[in-house]
Amino acid sequence: MTDLSAFPITKKWPATRPDVLQLYSLPTPNGVKVSIALEETGLAYEPHLVKFDTNDQLTPEFLSLNPNNKIPAIIDPAGPGGQPLALFESGAILVYLADKTGQLMPADPARRYETLQWLMFQMGGVGPMFGQLGFFHKFAGKDYEDKRPRDRYVAESRRLLGVLDKHLQGKTWILGDDYTVADIAVFPWINNLIGFYGAGDLVGYGDFGQVDRVLKAFVDRPAVQRGLQIPNRG
């Protein structure tokens, strides 16, 4: 049996199946990227819930795995060369899982880089902008009489949705017929924007029919439906 005792995080979240990939996460848009990818690939894994309401992400055990105190993070006991690999940052984890399984990433080098550019589009644009919009709209907006911060993120979120909507014309997925980590990165954030954040009307989501078409196809996938609930909040 694999020994993961060298990783301090396993003291707080013991591995009952140390031979499989360990996922430390919460079902947020960034967290479910990895659980969805794991469900899509069929790779065996054990999820561990990192609770923000008790500041689990700030504990020494979690910081030993991710010093940036963000979810998700993983330990793969069967990493490169057969050695355990600890990894954080959802985008990096998605690329790693795609490479490990040979799934969710086109084999053609040019198509691979196209996939990576849309993954970076989410990491550098969609995630930060939608997250700030959610903060000012759902959480702290009532505390700010000046709506210019919120409106700045509304405008940028609309712009990003417009970029994606135009790109999706005539395509099944972001990379055309290929379902990839780019879709798994982008669409949980859009689902969260109109769902949990309740910002659909605010951003005029009805103007982006292509985005909505592909989002519906995305959430209809059984692996996505499972991944959106993992780890179970208990």
Side-chain angles (χ1 to χ4, degrees):
M1 181 177 289
T2 303
D3 182 7
L4 297 179
S5 61
F7 295 94
I9 195 168
T10 61
K11 303 297 190 296
K12 184 173 177 63
W13 290 276
T16 61
R17 302 167 61 199
D19 293 334
V20 305
L21 186 145
Q22 305 294 305
L23 170 65
Y24 306 90
S25 191
L26 184 71
T28 66
N30 281 334
V32 299
K33 293 180 200 173
V34 175
S35 55
I36 289 170
L38 287 165
E39 289 293 319
E40 292 281 10
T41 61
L43 193 64
Y45 70 103
E46 180 178 1
H48 302 278
L49 180 66
V50 180
K51 297 180 179 179
F52 286 0
D53 57 352
T54 55
N55 288 323
D56 281 352
Q57 76 278 16
L58 300 178
T59 60
E61 293 87 353
F62 188 81
L63 291 172
S64 71
L65 184 60
N66 184 358
N68 196 35
N69 66 270
K70 305 292 183 183
I71 58 94
I74 65 169
I75 300 173
D76 184 359
Q83 297 301 309
L85 173 70
L87 201 60
F88 64 88
E89 281 296 331
S90 58
I93 296 171
L94 287 180
V95 175
Y96 173 71
L97 294 177
D99 289 347
K100 179 181 177 71
T101 63
Q103 301 179 54
L104 304 174
M105 183 76 76
D108 176 74
R111 297 281 286 168
R112 175 185 175 85
Y113 284 113
E114 289 179 41
T115 304
L116 291 175
Q117 79 177 353
W118 286 102
L119 174 61
M120 300 307 165
F121 170 81
Q122 184 276 306
M123 300 294 294
V126 168
M129 293 303 108
F130 288 13
Q132 293 293 342
L133 174 56
F135 172 80
F136 282 104
H137 176 59
K138 182 179 178 67
F139 296 111
K142 63 182 181 298
D143 298 328
Y144 294 87
E145 292 184 11
D146 186 347
K147 298 305 178 187
R148 285 177 294 180
R150 185 204 67 178
D151 292 346
R152 181 260 189 274
Y153 292 114
V154 169
E156 181 62 4
S157 295
R158 275 189 57 83
R159 188 190 71 80
L160 292 166
L161 287 167
V163 170
L164 185 60
D165 198 71
K166 182 177 180 180
H167 174 76
L168 288 171
Q169 289 278 351
K171 295 182 177 68
T172 303
W173 301 106
I174 292 175
L175 267 289
D177 292 334
D178 292 329
Y179 175 74
T180 72
V181 293
D183 302 291
I184 293 173
V186 168
F187 286 103
W189 273 102
I190 296 172
N191 189 53
N192 200 69
L193 178 73
I194 65 174
F196 180 70
Y197 288 161
D201 289 343
L202 188 63
V203 299
Y205 183 71
D207 296 337
F208 308 106
Q210 300 301 316
V211 171
D212 189 57
R213 170 182 60 82
V214 181
L215 173 64
K216 287 175 178 175
F218 178 75
V219 297
D220 277 346
R221 296 177 68 90
V224 171
Q225 293 173 15
R226 295 191 301 271
L228 287 172
Q229 307 302 319
I230 297 172
N232 189 300
R233 290 179 183 268

